[in-house]
């Protein structure tokens, strides 16, 4: 490399006359300001959580409508396809606003509003300059109570959805996620995150309108507002805009999932892949379980952050992966532990071996005092940084609300984490991180992977 | 918009420091931006700046391998680094009690990083996995940031792949790393930014304590990367074996953001008029009216606006169904650009773009990570951290005539056209999908 004429060697660079220096102690931590907050339910059944955060003159709005498939199986159900078309067209027309009107009005107040759907919920996410709060609420009111689903918009979005689904299904992580969900949950509607193209093509304007009238319901839904305003005033504004949103019954929550059982990993063939997706899953714990804080720390120690056993082993020691992680996913009525790693084909079997080895080690060589303390301080600190912005706080509170939890859970969580003992973490690690408790899928080029995976065992080959 | 408080000073060793106190939440962000990115890599060492970024996390005189991560995370913090065309950044965001620790960590690796053969080999493997994940194994991987520059630019610094090719990465040596560090990672070639919950006087003392004895070294003279704009339309094709549909990227040259910032910003407004929101020109025309693309986007800079010095790129990208020809898409884009050039946008179109930028900037400032990094990169690239806060007003001052002029300058006879082709025909692709469905 065209180096300068003279430079120090790496050894010379790595030392100074003074030598290593002591690492500073932590300073005094200032507490976060108490949050002014209101959590209430309107007469129409809509729960409203409003929090004041004045860091910037903005407001963040999140609305969550439970949107489960009332059928117990996705086989023969058109719910997923109708829900997807609904989410993609609900903001495209009302009696008084066209699609462009909606975008223009929001843009002029520095605002945005989006709708997305998954097997559990229909979610609106928006923001605007504080001065545009009423505009965002009025657009929300208009679409919730009077979306018209113009025929032309339904037709175009349907065609576009088919293309977008095709694009999504070419992504390795999407291929892996769909295979994993099917493997874990079979025909349960939770597993169907994306409809098939032919199902989408069959959705009519009338189907979408019918779904709106039966499923877009205030009762069971929750709206979170975080911004530079008095929480009481925010609630009054929400009530003024959405108090007239009514409907028969309660928004539909999904039925509980079958519990994840340990078993073989299923190899899914992706011809020509140069990298594989390893996706393992085991049973987790819900946030309200008294062992959850210990589970959270055990997960961090295993693969939940960079300073974890899994990342230090398969990335920083062996260079098998750029990204490896484990995390809890909260599901209807339960929770799942997920382990993800993407590795080159040549080292996939070796990475799977190490991933399982670290699972086994969690129970047999349980987390040490110092591992637990590192995880604990990270858990408490990252909760603080992740919720220090309006948008971060709004999204976090929305997720909690979806699990039936409130702001008290959030403010009380650092205390619960502080109380966890090393023994409690060890107990959770032995029970939940046992390799035998996990199953999963592996997506990659089977022609390259099969000989080593066959030798390793515990993998079902195609 | 009220301008937040900003302090700046320079240490005797040349390190420039920006302090941006804000006591609204008890968290603090610390970043260091070094004035070297992948445009400075020599031939035969593509990807080196990014590989070196990985090595800066691998230990120092005071800290063993892995200690950096553990110290940040056990202080409750998060961290990362990234390599751009013209700079490399490192950051930590932590509870404010850990401010001194963050400064210690950045100073320690600025003073004496430990670069070893073992860590170099390990991180070459990790970087190769990163490239497999983000480019080689993924549909549209590297589109357009890796694929468009070699069409638009002719010189190696501007045209080459910043992620690097595997052979070049494997050929990197420990001595290359030592030379790179000594040349580019001098304190006088860096900007330290501290944003969030701290007292400015106390923070200044801590900065002096930890960075004050990092020895000064000569700062390299930054070469000019200037090169002439294309003389005609330059076309290239790229085959992507994972992509299910074709895609197009159009690349144009834009004014120097350092010397002609106002002219540059008219292109930023133009990008908003073209593709921001359902009512924007290209969304309306290509997605909703003609229905010939799945998605379309436009913007300044392949890493985002104001992320690079001259020469920078304006790009328009679209993914379209195989039944639509690339010529149909390009012709529709050119028609819309011509219309904008002749008639100009309406005042309301500009008002929409401006209002959305005001709120975008507020939201970026509210996220401590983006505020810290934004202040640092603006100070490094433009000598002007305030630019971040002044941007909404500057964008609001852009006129309809200026946007029309920007649209007019996006000429078909001075641009790059990259056509991304799927490897399979439509029919084969559908067969393959069915087969996949069966196996899963």
């Amino acid at each position: 490399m065209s180096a300068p004429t003279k430079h120090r060697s790496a050894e010379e660079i790595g030392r100074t006359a003074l030598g290593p220096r002591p690492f500073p102690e932590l300073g005094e931590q200032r507490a976060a300001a108490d949050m002014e907050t209101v959590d209430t339910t309107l007469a129409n059944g809509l729960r409203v959580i409003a929090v004041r955060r004045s860091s910037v003159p903005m407001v963040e709005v999140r609305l969550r409508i439970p949107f489960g498939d009332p059928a117990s199986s996705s086989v023969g159900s058109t719910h997923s396809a109708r829900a997807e078309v609904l989410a993609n067209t609900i903001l495209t027309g009302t009696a008084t606003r066209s699609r462009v009107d909606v975008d223009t009005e929001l843009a002029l107040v520095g605002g945005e509003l989006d709708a997305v759907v998954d097997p559990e919920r229909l979610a609106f996410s928006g923001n605007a300059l504080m001065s545009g709060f009423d505009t965002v609420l009025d657009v929300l009111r208009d679409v919730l109570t009077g979306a018209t689903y113009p025929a032309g918009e339904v037709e175009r979005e349907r065609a576009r959805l088919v293309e977008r689904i095709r694009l999504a299904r070419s992504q390795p992580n999407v291929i892996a996620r769909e295979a994993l969900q099917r493997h874990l949950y079979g025909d349960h509607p939770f597993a169907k995150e994306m409809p098939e193209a032919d199902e989408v093509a069959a959705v009519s304007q009338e189907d979408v309108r019918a779904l709106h009238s039966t499923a877009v319901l205030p009762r069971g839904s929750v709206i979170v507002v975080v911004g530079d305003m008095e929480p009481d005033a925010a609630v009054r504004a929400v009530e003024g805009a959405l108090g007239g949103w009514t409907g028969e019954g309660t928004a539909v929550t999904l039925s509980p999932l079958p519990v994840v059982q340990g078993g073989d990993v299923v190899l899914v063939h992706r011809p020509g892949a140069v990298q594989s997706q390893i996706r393992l899953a085991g049973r987790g714990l819900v946030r309200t379980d008294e062992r959850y804080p210990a589970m959270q720390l055990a997960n961090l120690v295993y693969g939940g952050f960079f300073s974890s056993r899994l990342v230090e082993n398969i990335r920083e020691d062996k260079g098998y992966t750029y990204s490896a992680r484990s995390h809890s996913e909260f599901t209807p009525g339960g929770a799942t532990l997920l382990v993800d790693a993407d590795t080159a084909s040549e080292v996939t079997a070796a990475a799977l071996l190490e991933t399982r080895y670290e699972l086994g080690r969690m129970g047999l060589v349980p987390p040490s005092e110092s591992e637990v303390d590192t995880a604990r301080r990270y858990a408490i600190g990252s909760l603080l940084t992740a919720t220090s912005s309006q948008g971060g706080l709004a999204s976090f509170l929305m997720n909690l609300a979806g699990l039936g939890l409130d702001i008290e859970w959030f403010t009380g969580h650092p205390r619960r984490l502080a109380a966890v003992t090393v023994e409690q973490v060890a107990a959770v690690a032995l029970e939940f991180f046992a390799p035998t408790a996990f199953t999963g899928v592996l997506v990659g080029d089977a022609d390259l992977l099969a000989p080593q995976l066959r030798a390793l065992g515990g993998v079902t080959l195609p | 918009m009220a301008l937040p408080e900003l302090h700046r000073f320079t240490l005797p060793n040349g390190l420039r420091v920006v302090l941006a106190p804000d006591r609204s939440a008890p968290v603090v962000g610390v970043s260091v931006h070094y004035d070297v990115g992948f445009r400075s890599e020599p031939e035969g060492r593509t990807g080196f700046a990014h590989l070196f970024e990985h090595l800066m996390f691998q230990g120092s005189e005071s800290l063993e391998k892995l200690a950096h991560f553990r110290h940040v995370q056990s202080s409750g913090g998060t961290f990362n680094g990234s390599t751009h065309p013209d700079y490399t950044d490192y950051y930590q965001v932590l509870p404010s009690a850990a401010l001194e620790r963050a400064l210690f960590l950045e100073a320690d690796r600025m003073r004496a990083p430990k670069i070893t053969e073992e860590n170099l080999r390990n991180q070459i493997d990790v970087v190769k996995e990163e490239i497999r994940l983000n480019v080689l194994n993924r549909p549209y991987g590297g589109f357009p940031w890796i694929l468009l520059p070699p069409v638009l630019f002719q010189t190696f610094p501007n045209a080459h792949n910043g992620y690097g090719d595997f052979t070049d990465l494997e050929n990197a040596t420990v001595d290359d790393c030592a030379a790179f560090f000594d040349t580019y990672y001098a304190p006088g070639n860096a900007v330290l930014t501290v944003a969030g919950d701290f007292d400015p006087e106390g923070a200044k003392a801590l900065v002096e304590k930890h960075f004050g004895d990092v020895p000064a070294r000569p700062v390299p003279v930054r070469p000019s990367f200037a090169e002439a704009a294309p003389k005609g339309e330059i076309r290239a094709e790229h085959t992507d074996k994972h992509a299910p549909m074709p895609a197009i990227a159009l690349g144009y040259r834009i004014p120097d953001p350092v010397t002609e910032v106002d002219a540059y910003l008219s292109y930023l407004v133009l990008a908003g008029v073209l593709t921001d929101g359902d009512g924007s020109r290209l969304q309306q025309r290509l997605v909703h009216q003609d229905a010939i693309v799945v998605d379309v986007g436009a913007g300044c800079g392949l890493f985002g606006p104001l992320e690079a010095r001259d020469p920078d790129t304006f790009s328009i990208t679209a993914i379209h169904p195989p039944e639509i020809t690339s010529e149909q898409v390009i012709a529709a884009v050119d028609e819309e650009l011509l219309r904008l050039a002749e008639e100009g946008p309406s005042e309301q179109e500009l008002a929409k773009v401006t209002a959305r930028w005001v709120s975008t900037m507020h939201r970026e400032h509210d996220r401590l990570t983006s505020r810290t990094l934004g202040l640092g990169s603006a100070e490094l690239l433009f000598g002007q951290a305030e630019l971040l806060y002044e941007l909404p007003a500057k964008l609001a001052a852009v006129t309809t005539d200026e946007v029309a002029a920007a649209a007019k300058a996006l000429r078909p006879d001075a641009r790059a056209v990259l056509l991304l082709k799927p490897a399979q025909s439509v029919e084969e692709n559908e067969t393959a999908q069915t087969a996949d469905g069966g196996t899963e």
Side-chain angles (χ1 to χ4, degrees):
Chain A
M1 160 164 183
S2 67
T5 48
K6 194 168 180 312
H7 64 266
R8 294 174 292 168
S9 70
E11 289 76 23
E12 288 165 332
I13 287 170
R15 65 171 177 263
T16 64
L18 193 64
R21 298 159 199 236
F23 189 61
E25 291 303 312
L26 285 174
E28 185 119 352
Q29 181 61 42
R30 196 168 65 84
D34 282 342
M35 276 182 291
E36 281 176 64
T37 170
V38 172
D39 187 340
T40 185
T41 301
L42 305 183
N44 62 0
L46 176 67
R47 181 176 164 197
V48 186
I49 299 172
V51 181
R52 178 178 195 141
R53 175 145 287 171
S54 308
S55 45
V56 286
M58 297 282 298
V59 59
E60 295 281 343
V61 177
R62 305 283 184 276
L63 170 66
R64 180 188 197 278
I65 303 172
F67 218 67
D69 188 342
S72 58
S73 164
S74 61
V75 175
S77 168
T78 57
H79 176 82
S80 156
R82 291 185 302 147
E84 202 62 69
V85 177
L86 181 145
N88 282 278
T89 49
I90 191 166
L91 289 160
T92 63
T94 68
T96 54
R97 289 177 168 105
S98 70
R99 177 178 203 140
V100 172
D101 294 336
V102 167
D103 182 57
T104 302
E105 282 189 50
L106 290 170
L108 290 172
V109 296
E112 302 168 316
L113 189 61
D114 290 312
V116 294
V117 73
D118 68 20
E120 285 194 83
R121 88 274 184 287
L122 174 66
F124 290 85
S125 174
N127 62 73
L129 294 167
M130 199 54 239
S131 53
F133 184 37
D134 288 340
T135 303
V136 174
L137 287 179
D138 193 61
V139 171
L140 252 186
R141 172 201 61 76
D142 202 13
V143 300
L144 290 170
T145 61
T148 51
Y149 303 98
E153 297 285 358
V154 170
E155 199 177 314
R156 264 197 310 281
E157 285 304 319
R158 219 168 41 197
R160 195 163 161 228
L161 252 179
V162 168
E163 290 158 351
R164 288 165 133 183
I165 288 169
R166 194 166 149 215
L167 280 179
R169 287 213 169 105
S170 68
Q171 295 287 346
N173 61 336
V174 175
I175 294 169
R177 172 73 180 179
E178 290 204 301
L180 179 69
Q181 295 298 88
R182 263 196 303 278
H183 176 62
L184 296 177
Y185 307 118
D187 294 329
H188 190 289
F190 184 74
K192 191 165 182 175
E193 295 181 345
M194 229 184 274
E196 299 304 320
D198 55 346
E199 296 171 332
V200 169
V203 175
S204 71
Q205 179 191 31
E206 275 320 303
D207 291 335
V208 186
R209 285 179 173 167
L211 182 63
H212 186 116
S213 65
T214 56
V216 179
L217 301 172
R219 192 165 303 282
S221 299
V222 55
I223 186 168
V224 172
V225 177
V226 175
D228 184 8
M229 86 201 102
E230 296 291 342
D232 284 326
V235 172
R236 280 195 301 278
V238 170
E239 186 161 30
L242 303 184
W245 172 31
T246 54
E248 291 292 313
T250 302
V252 175
T253 53
L254 267 188
S255 55
L257 297 174
V259 172
V260 175
Q261 308 283 348
D264 273 9
V265 169
V266 176
L267 176 61
V268 177
H269 183 40
R270 182 170 179 250
V274 298
Q275 200 180 41
S276 313
Q277 286 65 52
I278 299 172
R279 300 288 185 267
L280 307 185
R283 183 167 72 92
L285 288 171
V286 296
R287 281 194 197 264
T288 46
D289 192 294
E290 62 176 24
R291 293 175 295 169
Y292 176 73
M295 163 66 90
Q296 192 186 347
L297 298 186
N299 174 62
L300 285 170
V301 172
Y302 175 71
F305 67 156
F306 207 94
S307 303
S308 64
R309 292 178 174 191
L310 182 66
V311 176
E312 291 188 356
N313 180 340
I314 70 172
R315 175 176 155 136
E316 292 300 294
D317 184 47
K318 303 194 175 66
Y320 290 164
T321 187
Y322 174 67
S323 68
R325 67 168 193 149
S326 65
H327 62 283
S328 285
E329 178 177 67
F330 302 99
T331 60
T336 310
L337 270 178
L338 297 172
V339 182
D340 303 354
D342 294 38
T343 67
S345 301
E346 306 82 67
V347 296
T348 296
L352 177 61
L353 172 68
E354 295 297 331
T355 303
R356 286 175 170 164
Y357 163 77
E358 293 294 353
L359 284 171
R361 211 159 67 84
M362 283 296 288
L364 307 178
V365 187
S368 66
E369 186 86 44
S370 102
E371 283 178 293
V372 170
D373 278 344
T374 295
R376 187 197 321 271
R377 287 196 292 264
Y378 176 75
I380 294 171
S382 59
L383 190 63
L384 192 64
T385 54
T387 57
S388 67
S389 68
Q390 291 177 350
L393 181 63
S395 295
F396 191 85
L397 293 178
M398 183 81 268
N399 288 336
L400 283 185
L403 300 167
L405 300 172
D406 58 19
I407 206 158
E408 297 295 319
W409 190 94
F410 168 61
T411 53
H413 198 52
R415 201 173 52 247
R416 285 191 293 274
L417 287 166
V420 175
T421 66
V422 175
E423 291 71 28
Q424 288 167 337
V425 176
V428 166
L430 182 63
E431 181 177 349
F432 291 90
F433 286 81
T436 50
F438 281 79
T439 181
V441 300
L442 204 162
V443 178
D445 191 326
D447 297 338
L448 295 172
L449 302 176
Q452 289 172 316
L453 291 174
R454 190 177 292 119
L456 180 65
V459 180
T460 305
L461 304 176
Chain B
M1 181 157 95
L3 294 189
E5 190 184 351
L6 216 53
H7 307 254
R8 50 156 73 77
F9 55 93
T10 302
L11 295 185
N13 61 16
L15 179 68
R16 286 157 284 168
V17 184
V18 176
L19 302 180
D22 158 30
R23 314 300 299 252
S24 67
V27 289
V28 67
V30 171
S31 68
V32 178
H33 286 71
Y34 291 95
D35 201 335
V36 60
F38 55 73
R39 278 210 268 223
S40 296
E41 292 161 353
E43 295 195 41
R45 284 292 178 276
T46 57
F48 192 84
H50 171 240
L51 173 63
F52 189 81
E53 174 220 309
H54 277 242
L55 287 166
M56 285 292 280
F57 290 92
Q58 297 290 316
S60 61
E61 178 174 44
S62 303
L63 298 170
E64 291 303 305
K65 178 180 167 81
L66 301 180
H68 184 94
F69 309 118
R70 287 181 188 153
H71 281 311
V72 176
Q73 297 196 311
S74 73
S75 306
T78 55
F79 63 85
N80 213 338
S82 63
T83 308
H84 298 242
D86 291 329
Y87 67 87
T88 307
D89 65 35
Y90 300 85
Y91 75 84
Q92 306 167 54
V93 172
L94 326 88
S96 39
L99 171 61
E100 184 173 5
R101 288 184 161 189
L103 295 172
F104 174 94
L105 289 165
E106 292 303 343
D108 206 53
R109 61 180 169 182
M110 181 183 287
R111 185 188 302 110
K114 201 175 286 170
I115 301 160
T116 68
E117 182 69 26
E118 186 194 347
N119 288 341
L120 174 61
R121 291 302 132 200
N122 170 263
Q123 290 304 313
I124 289 171
D125 285 344
V126 171
V127 166
K128 284 161 69 180
E129 287 302 318
E130 181 178 352
I131 295 168
R132 288 188 181 103
L133 180 73
N134 291 332
V135 183
L136 302 177
N137 199 48
R138 168 181 293 184
Y140 311 102
F143 177 79
W145 78 272
I146 293 175
L147 302 172
L148 188 56
V151 192
L152 182 63
F153 295 107
Q154 283 82 52
T155 64
F156 175 82
N158 297 319
H160 79 272
N161 174 357
Y163 248 154
D165 69 51
F166 282 11
T167 311
D168 284 359
L169 289 169
E170 281 156 8
N171 284 338
T173 67
V174 165
D175 199 55
D176 290 339
C177 297
F180 194 80
F181 178 81
D182 255 3
T183 308
Y184 294 114
Y185 278 57
N189 207 38
V191 169
L192 167 70
T193 308
V194 185
D197 179 32
F198 60 85
D199 146 60
E201 281 310 306
K204 184 168 189 236
L206 288 175
V207 168
E208 284 164 351
K209 173 180 168 188
H210 291 287
F211 288 89
D213 75 339
V214 179
R217 294 200 303 281
V219 172
V221 177
R222 196 170 52 239
S224 163
F225 297 117
E227 61 168 88
K231 294 276 185 287
E233 183 177 86
I234 305 169
R235 291 200 169 217
E237 277 191 20
H238 170 79
T239 302
D240 183 331
K241 67 176 178 174
H242 302 298
M245 288 181 215
I248 297 169
L250 305 176
Y252 305 85
R253 293 281 300 274
I254 39 179
D256 183 340
V258 178
T259 59
E260 301 171 81
V261 67
D262 293 330
Y264 181 97
L265 293 179
S266 61
Y267 288 80
L268 196 49
V269 174
L270 172 64
V273 169
L274 289 176
T275 60
D276 188 6
D278 277 345
S280 62
R281 297 272 175 133
L282 293 183
Q283 296 282 350
Q284 269 300 304
R285 171 72 189 269
L286 301 179
V287 178
H288 303 299
Q289 184 191 317
D290 295 0
I292 55 174
V293 305
V294 185
D295 270 311
V296 61
C300 291
L302 297 172
F303 280 62
L306 300 167
E307 279 289 317
R309 300 189 179 97
D310 185 62
D312 203 359
T313 305
F314 187 94
S315 68
I316 299 174
T317 57
I319 295 180
H320 63 92
E323 330 55 282
I324 303 295
T325 66
S326 48
E327 294 318 309
Q328 282 174 272
V329 178
I330 294 169
V333 168
D334 283 339
E335 269 182 44
E336 291 303 319
L337 287 173
L338 186 62
R339 184 169 309 161
L340 261 179
E342 285 173 353
E343 300 165 10
S346 69
E347 291 292 345
Q348 189 186 59
E349 281 177 287
L350 295 200
K352 289 194 308 186
V353 172
T354 306
R356 278 208 165 121
W357 266 103
V358 171
S359 60
T360 297
M361 296 315 296
H362 280 311
R363 296 180 88 221
E364 290 210 358
H365 298 167
D366 199 28
R367 285 189 299 267
L368 189 54
T369 304
S370 36
R371 190 191 334 156
T372 309
L373 291 176
L375 289 168
S377 64
E379 183 71 9
L380 185 92
L381 294 174
F382 312 112
Q384 210 187 339
E386 302 80 353
L387 184 61
L388 205 64
Y389 301 130
E390 294 167 359
L391 208 48
K394 283 183 178 294
L395 288 166
V398 173
T399 65
T400 55
D401 285 350
E402 286 163 342
V403 174
K408 192 174 179 187
L410 300 185
R411 297 158 55 99
D413 62 358
R415 71 175 169 198
V417 178
L418 171 73
L419 305 177
L420 182 147
K421 305 280 187 191
Q424 298 160 303
S425 73
V426 192
E427 214 166 288
E428 287 163 1
N429 209 353
E430 275 172 3
T431 316
Q433 278 199 336
T434 317
D436 271 353
T439 354
E440 288 164 17

